[in-house]
């Protein structure tokens, strides 16, 4: 909404020194979004005066019409002699009054005027058009002033060329601010000065009926008003000041009849429409459209109507899309003398849906969508009729037609202290009542207030809306800034603490965290070599995906991690170790494909919530890592070490240690890992995930370096003890025993380690595999596993016999379970 300051001053007694920028600051403090303040005409410098054309001489010999004029500008030129001006426009005649800028003046855009010889004659000044003056976009010729202006008078003041124009971005809940009336009321409140309501038009007493009308659908319209004027002069011109105001407010002047309806809409906020009385047939009815009906609107588009469209009709059918745009068949034209003026209150939702359905937005629909004052139609229609009578010589036909559907009064009950509780600032009752009355509310009651919002504020529907009005008018800047105080005893849950510990541990182990979008493509399942029927292939499809290439919710973290790895490698970072924690989405067997749409007429029941929950997928939290290149970098210290499947398994152990869980590792085959370099990760008998080297075909599909490794496990299954008890630390020395066992090549090292732990007993502190050997010395198909066993007692120093006995017991169990034999025995 563009609001000229001069227009606002007509209805609010602002101090003379108030500028547009000062008013904008006040309105912003009150919660309105003033985007810019344009100082229109500020770059115009005089002398810019009224001139009377005395003579016109047509110059010949040029490709376009050129006229040599003498113009009376009074004493403005210092001599009183006629001013000689060469002009190329032809739409003015001798005796016309025009706007003249004399040498030394400057027009908008920095266009300086001087005296110079042109077309063989001396030209001292310029006769101006509305475009050159910056008050319109009419390129048809010179601005001809109405009779009665005096040559030599200041044209800047006459036309109101200098003005501050506030451009306000009106939020959907403040439809009243789409009018000079609404902004002026806010300005009056901000400065504490009197406000004159432009809608306070005294209506004629004892009005009868005017043009017949009725409302067929009360859900579409609850008030419909018609007035008639006759004998309007179609040739009557819109006053220049009205044209300037319309242009400053962002609307193009068209004709007096159209300009009056637009002027009243901008002033009061009530959209109006004028029908040519001679083109109407029968009573006007407001109703919904019938299927298949058509209407050609003023933009010359033939529209097929929808059954939900709100129409204004007569006996011929639809004549207007209500609150949006009129029909071509009943438009007023250059011959229209008798008119029917329509003002109404249409359903906001119905208009909003209609304009989106037809992609037809207008200034009228913009206001109806945000809420128009239901009490305005009677006053706005009479003001428009009176302007047409005063400016266009029309006769107002006595009577008014008012069709109306009953609407219940709105009241809101609120505790007097509620605004203070919302803001955290103490407002006494008198302050609350004062501020509510300033926005037009009627307030009754003491501790509990019964508030009746004004008709122009349909957005005030509950106590929080009223609290907002009190708070904004008291000043947001007066609300102290205090850091919120968290409630005692609250903090992170054990699960949240585990997630953070896992992130810190992986970062400490050399991994870099990434955050990927939880979306994947259908081709990712093929790139991961997932077999048909794999649960990871069953993914939820988004109704409105961010990208058509990735319309599915992820069922595994690997696609996003592998694409991030490929992106880093492609940019020259070959040694990469990444990790991510996040949710995956696993649809449940038998779950509905779509969540039910619940009614908004009441709160959801327990059954409603259960039906929504049943449609939601399981959303376990997982952690994944990918690594390629050197895990230990090369340097002056020597050659680095490439990342291997063992590093991926160790990343899983890092995660498990943070949960206080002992991880069991077993060989497995699971896509997309290499069938010979894949490990299954267990906590007890619970499968957590997998780790190892990726399959070469997966590596090729994502463009990854050879031997890329990955790990993924489910954090939600990693349930450690609720309270971790620190183990006792013995002060006695450790006894170390090494043992080398020869086993079949197919026996996992983890199985041998488990047997050693079980056999060694309570004295065993740790066991570590430090060498794996295969070769002729152990035989074909066999391997040697060398372990270091550390023994320690909590209460004594172990003897060599005790340590040796514990080692022998461990070997005996390993031999029994795995068929191991001591190497060299």
């Amino acid at each position: 909404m563009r609001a000229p300051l001069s227009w606002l001053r007509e209805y609010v007694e602002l101090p003379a020194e108030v500028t547009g920028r000062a008013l904008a600051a006040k309105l912003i403090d009150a919660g309105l979004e003033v985007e810019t303040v344009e100082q229109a005409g500020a770059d115009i410098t005089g002398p810019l005066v009224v001139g009377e054309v005395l003579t016109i001489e047509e110059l010949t010999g040029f490709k376009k019409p050129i006229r040599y004029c003498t113009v009376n500008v009074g004493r403005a030129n210092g001599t009183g002699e006629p001013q000689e001006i060469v002009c190329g426009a032809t739409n003015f005649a001798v005796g016309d009054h025009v706007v003249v800028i004399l040498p030394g003046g400057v027009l908008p855009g920095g266009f300086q005027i001087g005296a110079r010889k042109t077309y063989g004659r001396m030209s001292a000044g310029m006769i101006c058009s509305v475009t050159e003056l910056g008050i319109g976009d009419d390129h048809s010729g010179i601005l001809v002033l109405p009779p009665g202006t005096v040559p030599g008078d200041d044209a800047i003041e006459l036309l109101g060329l200098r003005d501050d124009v506030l451009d306000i971005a009106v939020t959907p809940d403040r439809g009243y601010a789409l009018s000079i009336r609404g902004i002026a009321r806010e300005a009056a409140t901000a400065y504490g000065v009197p406000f004159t309501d432009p809608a306070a038009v005294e209506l004629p007493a004892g009005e009868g009926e005017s043009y017949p009308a009725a409302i067929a659908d009360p859900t579409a319209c609850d008030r419909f008003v018609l007035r008639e004027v006759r004998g309007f002069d179609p040739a009557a011109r819109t006053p220049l000041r009205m044209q300037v105001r319309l242009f400053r407010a962002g609307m193009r002047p068209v004709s007096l009849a159209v300009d009056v309806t637009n002027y009243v809409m901008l002033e009061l906020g009530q959209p109006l429409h004028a029908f040519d009385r001679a083109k109407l047939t029968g009573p006007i009815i407001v109703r919904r459209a019938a299927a298949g009906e058509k209407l050609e609107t003023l933009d010359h588009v033939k529209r097929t109507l929808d059954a939900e469209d709100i129409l204004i009709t007569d006996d011929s059918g639809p004549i207007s899309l209500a609150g949006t745009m009129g029909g071509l068949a009943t438009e007023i034209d250059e011959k229209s003398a008798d008119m029917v003026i329509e003002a109404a209150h249409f359903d906001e939702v119905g208009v909003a849906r209609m304009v989106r359905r037809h992609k037809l937005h207008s200034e009228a629909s913009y206001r109806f969508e945000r809420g128009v004052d239901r009490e305005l139609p009677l006053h706005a229609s009479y003001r428009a009729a009176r302007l047409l009578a005063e400016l266009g010589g029309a006769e107002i036909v006595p009577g008014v037609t008012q069709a109306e559907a009953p609407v219940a009064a709105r009241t809101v009950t609120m505790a007097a202290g509620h605004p203070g509780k919302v803001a955290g600032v103490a407002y006494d009752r008198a302050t609350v009542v004062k501020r509510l009355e300033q926005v037009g509310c009627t307030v009754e009651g003491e501790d509990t207030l019964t508030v009746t919002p004004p008709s122009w504020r349909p957005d005030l529907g509950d106590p929080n809306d009223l609290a907002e009005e009190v708070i904004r008018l008291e000043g947001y800047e007066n609300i102290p800034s205090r850091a919120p105080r968290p409630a005692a005893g609250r903090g992170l849950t054990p699960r949240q603490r585990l997630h953070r510990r896992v992130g810190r541990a992986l970062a400490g182990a050399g991994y870099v965290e990434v955050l990927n979008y939880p979306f994947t493509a259908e081709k990712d399942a093929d790139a991961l070599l997932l077999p048909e029927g794999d649960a990871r292939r069953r993914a939820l499809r988004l109704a409105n995906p961010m990208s058509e290439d990735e319309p599915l919710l992820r069922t595994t973290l690997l696609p996003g991690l592998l694409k991030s790895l490929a992106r880093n490698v492609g940019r020259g970072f070959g040694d990469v170790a990444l990790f991510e924690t996040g949710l995956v989405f696993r649809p449940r067997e038998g779950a509905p494909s779509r969540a039910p749409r619940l009614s908004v007429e009441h709160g959801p029941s327990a059954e409603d919530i259960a039906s929504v929950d049943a449609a939601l997928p399981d959303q376990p939290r997982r952690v994944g890592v990918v690594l390629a290149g050197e895990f230990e970098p090369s340097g002056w210290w020597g050659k680095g070490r490439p990342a291997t499947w063992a590093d991926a398994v160790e990343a899983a152990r890092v995660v498990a240690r943070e949960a206080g869980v002992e991880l069991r590792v077993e060989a497995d085959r699971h896509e997309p890992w290499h069938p010979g370099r894949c490990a299954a990760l267990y906590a007890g008998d619970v499968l957590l995930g997998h780790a190892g080297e990726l399959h070469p075909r997966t590596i090729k599909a994502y463009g990854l370096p050879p031997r890329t490794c990955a790990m993924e496990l489910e954090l939600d299954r990693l349930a450690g003890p609720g309270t971790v008890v620190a183990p006792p630390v013995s002060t006695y020395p450790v006894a170390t025993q090494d043992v080398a066992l020869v086993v079949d090549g197919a026996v996992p090292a983890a199985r041998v380690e488990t047997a050693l732990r079980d056999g060694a007993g309570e004295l065993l502190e740790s066991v570590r595999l430090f060498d794996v050997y295969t070769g002729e010395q152990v035989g074909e198909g066999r391997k040697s596993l060398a372990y270091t066993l550390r023994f320690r007692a909590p209460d004594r120093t172990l003897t060599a016999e005790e340590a040796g006995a514990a080692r022998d017991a461990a070997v005996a169990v390993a031999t029994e379970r795995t068929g191991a034999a001591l190497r060299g025995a």
Side-chain angles (χ1 to χ4, degrees):
M1 175 68 190
R2 291 173 57 84
L5 181 59
S6 62
W7 202 349
L8 292 171
R9 284 187 181 276
E10 285 193 9
Y11 304 114
V12 55
E13 298 179 17
L14 292 173
E17 67 275 9
V18 172
T19 65
R21 295 189 184 279
L23 176 57
K26 286 282 192 179
L27 294 179
I28 290 171
D29 288 343
L32 293 180
E33 298 181 16
V34 183
E35 294 190 328
T36 60
V37 178
E38 175 189 345
Q39 294 179 304
D43 51 354
I44 298 178
T45 59
L48 186 74
V49 298
V50 175
E52 179 185 5
V53 180
L54 301 177
T55 66
I56 299 176
E57 179 185 348
E58 303 286 346
L59 302 183
T60 59
F62 303 102
K63 293 182 179 180
K64 60 181 181 179
I66 299 297
R67 311 168 93 191
Y68 175 69
C69 310
T70 59
V71 184
N72 173 23
V73 294
R75 302 292 299 178
N77 58 4
T79 65
E81 296 295 321
Q83 200 76 9
E84 299 173 341
I85 300 174
V86 174
C87 182
T90 60
N91 69 313
F92 62 96
V94 172
D96 283 346
H97 287 195
V98 294
V99 177
V100 176
I101 186 165
L102 300 177
V106 179
L107 288 174
F111 183 33
Q112 294 186 346
I113 305 300
R116 63 190 180 95
K117 191 172 183 178
T118 180
Y119 296 102
R121 301 294 179 96
M122 181 61 68
S123 180
M126 189 173 88
I127 303 174
C128 303
S129 68
V130 293
T131 304
E132 291 159 341
L133 294 171
I135 56 173
D137 55 8
D138 185 357
H139 299 275
S140 61
I142 295 303
L143 170 61
V144 178
L145 299 174
T149 53
V150 179
D153 281 359
D154 184 7
I156 294 177
E157 179 63 27
L158 175 69
L159 299 176
L161 296 183
R162 290 199 183 114
D163 206 350
D164 288 351
V165 182
L166 285 70
D167 191 352
I168 302 174
V170 179
T171 52
D173 62 328
R174 298 196 181 276
Y176 69 93
L178 289 169
S179 66
I180 297 297
R181 178 196 189 203
I183 299 171
R185 180 181 280 107
E186 289 289 341
T189 302
Y191 281 93
V193 295
F195 164 70
T196 302
D197 191 348
V201 179
E202 186 176 350
L203 301 176
E207 292 184 293
E209 287 288 319
S210 180
Y211 195 91
I215 298 173
D217 188 344
T219 66
C221 174
D222 56 37
R223 176 164 285 182
F224 191 76
V225 172
L226 297 178
R227 292 184 188 271
E228 285 190 67
V229 294
R230 294 179 185 170
F232 173 75
D233 180 9
R237 295 178 56 190
T238 305
L240 286 173
R241 273 195 171 270
M242 181 179 287
Q243 291 188 48
V244 171
R245 281 186 174 176
L246 287 171
F247 183 75
R248 294 274 192 251
M251 303 198 75
R252 183 174 63 88
V254 178
S255 65
L256 178 57
V258 174
D259 292 348
V260 163
T261 58
N262 286 338
Y263 188 85
V264 174
M265 177 184 69
L266 291 170
E267 186 176 64
L268 302 183
Q270 171 66 56
L272 302 171
H273 186 72
F275 297 100
D276 188 322
R277 175 68 173 78
K279 298 176 182 179
L280 295 174
T281 55
I284 290 179
I285 305 296
V286 183
R287 61 173 173 83
R288 301 278 182 178
E293 282 190 295
K294 298 183 182 297
L295 171 66
E296 184 175 1
T297 45
L298 292 175
D299 56 356
H300 298 277
V301 176
K302 294 182 179 179
R303 304 180 184 277
T304 300
L305 305 177
D306 185 271
E308 291 298 313
D309 289 343
I310 304 173
L311 301 180
I312 299 174
T313 67
D314 64 5
D315 288 349
S316 67
I319 59 174
S320 177
L321 286 178
T324 304
M325 185 175 286
L328 192 63
T330 56
E331 72 168 333
I332 55 175
D333 54 31
E334 67 278 359
K335 297 180 182 179
S336 299
D338 300 339
M339 288 176 281
V340 175
I341 301 169
E342 167 255 310
H345 185 257
F346 298 110
D347 175 57
E348 296 95 333
V349 175
V351 172
R353 289 177 177 171
M354 183 168 62
V355 299
R356 284 158 179 76
R357 191 180 299 120
H358 293 285
K359 297 180 175 61
L360 183 63
H361 297 268
S362 66
E363 289 288 337
S365 67
Y366 188 68
R367 286 163 173 78
F368 277 119
E369 288 179 69
R370 283 155 178 76
V372 171
D373 185 352
R374 186 179 180 274
E375 302 301 323
L376 270 179
L378 278 172
H379 302 273
S381 60
Y382 184 65
R383 173 148 172 76
R386 200 168 64 180
L387 285 173
L388 291 174
E390 293 172 359
L391 304 176
E395 175 191 355
I396 301 176
V397 177
V400 59
T401 298
Q402 181 180 188
E404 186 174 9
V407 175
R410 293 182 300 127
T411 60
V412 180
T413 301
M414 179 186 74
H418 181 67
K421 289 182 178 179
V422 173
V425 177
Y427 302 128
D428 58 31
R429 180 189 177 279
T431 299
V432 172
V433 172
K434 169 190 168 186
R435 293 306 187 183
L436 293 179
E437 289 178 343
Q438 281 181 329
V439 299
C441 296
T442 301
V443 184
E444 298 176 350
E446 292 298 326
D447 294 336
T448 300
L449 305 179
T450 300
V451 182
T452 303
S455 57
W456 59 84
R457 293 299 302 272
D459 59 301
L460 302 181
D462 64 50
N464 289 326
D465 296 330
L466 301 177
E468 180 185 4
E469 295 301 302
V470 175
I471 294 167
R472 74 178 181 88
L473 294 179
E474 280 296 300
Y476 292 121
E477 70 278 6
N478 295 324
I479 299 176
S481 298
R482 291 196 300 265
R485 296 180 179 178
R490 295 183 181 272
L492 299 177
T493 65
R495 181 61 61 186
Q496 290 170 327
R497 289 196 291 270
L498 172 61
H499 296 165
R500 294 196 179 189
R501 289 202 309 273
V502 166
R504 287 194 293 266
L506 288 174
Y511 292 86
V512 176
E513 185 173 16
V514 294
L515 297 173
N516 294 306
Y517 286 120
F519 312 123
T520 61
E522 293 179 348
K523 63 182 180 181
D524 283 319
D526 296 328
L528 295 177
L529 309 179
L530 302 183
E532 293 296 329
D534 192 297
R536 289 170 291 175
R537 277 190 175 273
R538 186 165 176 258
L540 289 175
R541 183 176 296 273
L542 295 169
N544 54 342
M546 291 179 61
S547 169
E548 292 297 333
D549 295 332
E550 295 182 328
L552 307 177
L553 283 174
R554 67 187 178 191
T555 58
T556 169
L557 300 179
L558 291 181
L561 280 167
L562 298 181
K563 291 172 187 176
S564 295
L565 176 62
R567 192 177 303 115
N568 279 272
V569 171
R571 294 178 180 176
F573 300 96
D575 304 324
V576 186
L578 307 176
F579 84 94
E580 179 180 13
T581 60
L583 302 178
V584 299
F585 305 87
R586 293 294 188 88
R588 301 167 185 165
E589 289 292 338
S593 59
R594 291 177 179 271
R597 292 187 178 183
L598 304 182
S599 170
V600 297
E601 296 178 355
H602 54 77
S605 64
E607 292 77 11
D608 291 336
I609 296 174
S611 66
V612 173
D613 288 342
L616 296 178
D618 290 328
Q619 300 175 50
R621 184 173 294 272
R622 294 193 163 204
V623 58
V625 305
V626 292
L627 55 162
E630 289 188 339
F631 193 70
E632 295 178 1
S634 304
W636 58 264
W637 51 84
K639 192 175 181 180
R641 181 178 67 80
T644 68
W645 63 267
D647 295 305
V649 173
E650 182 57 28
R653 287 197 172 100
V654 169
V655 173
R657 279 196 293 269
E658 294 303 318
V661 171
E662 187 71 29
L663 202 64
R664 181 164 60 89
V665 180
E666 292 187 5
D668 197 4
R669 295 173 64 97
H670 190 73
E671 294 77 8
W673 283 274
H674 190 293
R677 302 185 183 101
C678 173
L681 310 171
Y682 290 89
D685 294 328
V686 178
L687 177 63
L688 302 178
H690 293 81
E693 183 180 312
L694 292 173
H695 197 287
R697 283 160 53 191
T698 296
I699 291 174
K700 181 179 179 181
Y702 286 101
L704 304 174
R707 313 300 293 268
T708 295
C709 301
M711 179 276 293
E712 183 179 23
L713 60 80
E714 195 162 306
L715 276 175
D716 287 348
R717 294 182 183 174
L718 201 61
T723 301
V724 178
V725 180
V729 179
S730 174
T731 58
Y732 293 93
V734 66
T736 302
Q737 297 280 329
D738 292 341
V739 60
L741 301 176
V742 178
V743 296
D744 188 271
V747 176
R751 185 178 168 192
V752 177
E753 179 182 325
T754 301
L756 290 172
R757 287 182 180 278
D758 292 345
E762 296 181 356
L763 294 178
L764 181 68
E765 184 176 80
S766 66
V767 56
R768 181 175 66 88
L769 176 68
F770 68 88
D771 183 59
V772 179
Y773 171 76
T774 58
E776 295 180 359
Q777 296 182 16
V778 295
E780 185 177 353
R782 306 279 285 176
K783 62 183 176 183
S784 172
L785 304 176
Y787 293 90
T788 295
L789 284 72
R790 291 165 57 90
F791 299 97
R792 195 193 312 258
D795 56 351
R796 68 189 185 283
T797 299
L798 292 177
T799 64
E801 290 78 10
E802 288 178 305
R807 184 202 66 172
D808 293 342
V811 170
V813 174
T815 300
E816 179 184 350
R817 293 184 183 177
T818 67
L822 277 173
R823 186 174 174 183

Short mmCIF file of all heavy atoms in Angstrom, two decimals, residues 310-336:
data_model
loop_
_atom_site.label_atom_id
_atom_site.label_comp_id
_atom_site.label_asym_id
_atom_site.label_seq_id
_atom_site.Cartn_x
_atom_site.Cartn_y
_atom_site.Cartn_z
N ILE A 310 -17.66 -17.28 -6.80
CA ILE A 310 -18.69 -16.36 -6.34
C ILE A 310 -18.98 -15.38 -7.48
O ILE A 310 -18.06 -14.70 -7.97
CB ILE A 310 -18.25 -15.60 -5.08
CG1 ILE A 310 -17.85 -16.60 -3.97
CG2 ILE A 310 -19.35 -14.68 -4.59
CD1 ILE A 310 -17.23 -15.95 -2.75
N LEU A 311 -20.24 -15.29 -7.87
CA LEU A 311 -20.61 -14.49 -9.02
C LEU A 311 -21.61 -13.41 -8.65
O LEU A 311 -22.41 -13.56 -7.71
CB LEU A 311 -21.23 -15.36 -10.12
CG LEU A 311 -20.40 -16.51 -10.69
CD1 LEU A 311 -21.21 -17.24 -11.74
CD2 LEU A 311 -19.10 -15.98 -11.25
N ILE A 312 -21.57 -12.31 -9.42
CA ILE A 312 -22.66 -11.33 -9.47
C ILE A 312 -23.34 -11.54 -10.81
O ILE A 312 -22.68 -11.53 -11.86
CB ILE A 312 -22.12 -9.90 -9.34
CG1 ILE A 312 -21.40 -9.74 -7.99
CG2 ILE A 312 -23.24 -8.88 -9.46
CD1 ILE A 312 -20.70 -8.39 -7.84
N THR A 313 -24.65 -11.77 -10.79
CA THR A 313 -25.37 -12.14 -12.01
C THR A 313 -26.62 -11.28 -12.17
O THR A 313 -27.11 -10.66 -11.22
CB THR A 313 -25.78 -13.62 -11.96
OG1 THR A 313 -26.77 -13.80 -10.93
CG2 THR A 313 -24.59 -14.52 -11.68
N ASP A 314 -27.10 -11.24 -13.41
CA ASP A 314 -28.45 -10.72 -13.67
C ASP A 314 -29.16 -11.75 -14.56
O ASP A 314 -28.72 -12.90 -14.66
CB ASP A 314 -28.41 -9.33 -14.28
CG ASP A 314 -27.74 -9.29 -15.66
OD1 ASP A 314 -27.39 -10.37 -16.18
OD2 ASP A 314 -27.57 -8.19 -16.22
N ASP A 315 -30.25 -11.35 -15.21
CA ASP A 315 -31.01 -12.32 -16.00
C ASP A 315 -30.22 -12.86 -17.18
O ASP A 315 -30.54 -13.93 -17.71
CB ASP A 315 -32.31 -11.68 -16.50
CG ASP A 315 -33.31 -11.47 -15.38
OD1 ASP A 315 -33.08 -12.02 -14.28
OD2 ASP A 315 -34.30 -10.75 -15.60
N SER A 316 -29.18 -12.14 -17.59
CA SER A 316 -28.37 -12.60 -18.72
C SER A 316 -27.34 -13.63 -18.31
O SER A 316 -26.70 -14.26 -19.16
CB SER A 316 -27.68 -11.41 -19.38
OG SER A 316 -26.70 -10.85 -18.50
N GLY A 317 -27.10 -13.79 -16.99
CA GLY A 317 -26.08 -14.71 -16.50
C GLY A 317 -25.02 -13.98 -15.71
O GLY A 317 -25.25 -12.87 -15.19
N PRO A 318 -23.83 -14.54 -15.61
CA PRO A 318 -22.75 -13.89 -14.84
C PRO A 318 -22.34 -12.55 -15.46
O PRO A 318 -22.17 -12.45 -16.67
CB PRO A 318 -21.60 -14.90 -14.92
CG PRO A 318 -22.24 -16.21 -15.25
CD PRO A 318 -23.42 -15.87 -16.11
N ILE A 319 -22.19 -11.54 -14.61
CA ILE A 319 -21.73 -10.24 -15.08
C ILE A 319 -20.48 -9.78 -14.33
O ILE A 319 -19.91 -8.75 -14.68
CB ILE A 319 -22.84 -9.17 -14.95
CG1 ILE A 319 -23.30 -9.04 -13.49
CG2 ILE A 319 -24.00 -9.48 -15.86
CD1 ILE A 319 -24.29 -7.91 -13.26
N SER A 320 -20.03 -10.55 -13.32
CA SER A 320 -18.81 -10.16 -12.59
C SER A 320 -18.34 -11.31 -11.72
O SER A 320 -19.16 -12.06 -11.17
CB SER A 320 -19.08 -8.93 -11.72
OG SER A 320 -17.94 -8.59 -10.96
N LEU A 321 -17.01 -11.47 -11.64
CA LEU A 321 -16.41 -12.33 -10.62
C LEU A 321 -16.35 -11.50 -9.34
O LEU A 321 -15.60 -10.52 -9.25
CB LEU A 321 -15.00 -12.78 -11.03
CG LEU A 321 -14.89 -13.83 -12.12
CD1 LEU A 321 -13.42 -14.10 -12.44
CD2 LEU A 321 -15.57 -15.12 -11.72
N ALA A 322 -17.14 -11.88 -8.35
CA ALA A 322 -17.33 -11.04 -7.17
C ALA A 322 -16.02 -10.70 -6.50
O ALA A 322 -15.19 -11.57 -6.22
CB ALA A 322 -18.25 -11.75 -6.18
N GLY A 323 -15.81 -9.41 -6.24
CA GLY A 323 -14.64 -8.96 -5.51
C GLY A 323 -13.35 -9.12 -6.26
O GLY A 323 -12.28 -8.95 -5.67
N THR A 324 -13.41 -9.39 -7.57
CA THR A 324 -12.19 -9.66 -8.32
C THR A 324 -12.10 -8.82 -9.59
O THR A 324 -11.25 -7.96 -9.74
CB THR A 324 -12.09 -11.15 -8.67
OG1 THR A 324 -12.17 -11.90 -7.46
CG2 THR A 324 -10.78 -11.48 -9.36
N MET A 325 -13.03 -9.06 -10.53
CA MET A 325 -13.03 -8.32 -11.78
C MET A 325 -14.40 -8.38 -12.40
O MET A 325 -15.08 -9.42 -12.38
CB MET A 325 -11.98 -8.86 -12.76
CG MET A 325 -11.85 -8.03 -14.04
SD MET A 325 -10.51 -8.59 -15.13
CE MET A 325 -9.10 -7.99 -14.21
N GLY A 326 -14.84 -7.26 -12.99
CA GLY A 326 -16.14 -7.19 -13.63
C GLY A 326 -16.15 -7.87 -14.99
O GLY A 326 -15.12 -8.21 -15.57
N GLY A 327 -17.36 -8.04 -15.51
CA GLY A 327 -17.53 -8.64 -16.83
C GLY A 327 -17.50 -7.58 -17.92
O GLY A 327 -17.87 -6.42 -17.72
N LEU A 328 -17.08 -8.00 -19.12
CA LEU A 328 -16.94 -7.06 -20.22
C LEU A 328 -18.30 -6.55 -20.70
O LEU A 328 -18.42 -5.41 -21.14
CB LEU A 328 -16.20 -7.75 -21.37
CG LEU A 328 -15.71 -6.87 -22.51
CD1 LEU A 328 -14.68 -5.87 -22.01
CD2 LEU A 328 -15.11 -7.73 -23.64
N ALA A 329 -19.34 -7.37 -20.57
CA ALA A 329 -20.64 -7.01 -21.14
C ALA A 329 -21.28 -5.83 -20.43
O ALA A 329 -22.09 -5.11 -21.03
CB ALA A 329 -21.57 -8.21 -21.10
N THR A 330 -20.96 -5.59 -19.15
CA THR A 330 -21.63 -4.52 -18.39
C THR A 330 -20.67 -3.42 -17.98
O THR A 330 -20.97 -2.63 -17.08
CB THR A 330 -22.29 -5.11 -17.14
OG1 THR A 330 -21.29 -5.79 -16.36
CG2 THR A 330 -23.41 -6.07 -17.50
N GLU A 331 -19.48 -3.34 -18.61
CA GLU A 331 -18.52 -2.32 -18.21
C GLU A 331 -19.00 -0.93 -18.61
O GLU A 331 -19.74 -0.75 -19.58
CB GLU A 331 -17.15 -2.59 -18.85
CG GLU A 331 -17.10 -2.32 -20.34
CD GLU A 331 -15.68 -2.32 -20.88
OE1 GLU A 331 -14.74 -2.01 -20.12
OE2 GLU A 331 -15.51 -2.62 -22.08
N ILE A 332 -18.56 0.05 -17.86
CA ILE A 332 -18.85 1.43 -18.24
C ILE A 332 -17.86 1.86 -19.32
O ILE A 332 -16.70 1.43 -19.32
CB ILE A 332 -18.78 2.38 -17.02
CG1 ILE A 332 -17.42 2.27 -16.32
CG2 ILE A 332 -19.89 2.08 -16.03
CD1 ILE A 332 -17.22 3.25 -15.20
N ASP A 333 -18.33 2.68 -20.25
CA ASP A 333 -17.47 3.13 -21.34
C ASP A 333 -17.59 4.63 -21.50
O ASP A 333 -18.14 5.33 -20.64
CB ASP A 333 -17.82 2.38 -22.63
CG ASP A 333 -19.31 2.48 -22.97
OD1 ASP A 333 -19.92 3.52 -22.64
OD2 ASP A 333 -19.86 1.53 -23.56
N GLU A 334 -17.09 5.15 -22.64
CA GLU A 334 -17.08 6.60 -22.85
C GLU A 334 -18.45 7.19 -23.08
O GLU A 334 -18.61 8.42 -23.16
CB GLU A 334 -16.17 6.94 -24.03
CG GLU A 334 -16.64 6.46 -25.40
CD GLU A 334 -16.29 4.99 -25.65
OE1 GLU A 334 -15.66 4.37 -24.76
OE2 GLU A 334 -16.62 4.47 -26.73
N LYS A 335 -19.50 6.34 -23.16
CA LYS A 335 -20.85 6.84 -23.35
C LYS A 335 -21.74 6.61 -22.12
O LYS A 335 -22.90 7.02 -22.12
CB LYS A 335 -21.48 6.15 -24.56
CG LYS A 335 -20.76 6.44 -25.88
CD LYS A 335 -21.43 5.72 -27.03
CE LYS A 335 -20.71 5.96 -28.35
NZ LYS A 335 -21.35 5.24 -29.47
N SER A 336 -21.22 5.95 -21.10
CA SER A 336 -22.05 5.59 -19.96
C SER A 336 -22.45 6.83 -19.16
O SER A 336 -21.59 7.58 -18.69
CB SER A 336 -21.30 4.61 -19.05
OG SER A 336 -20.98 3.42 -19.75
#
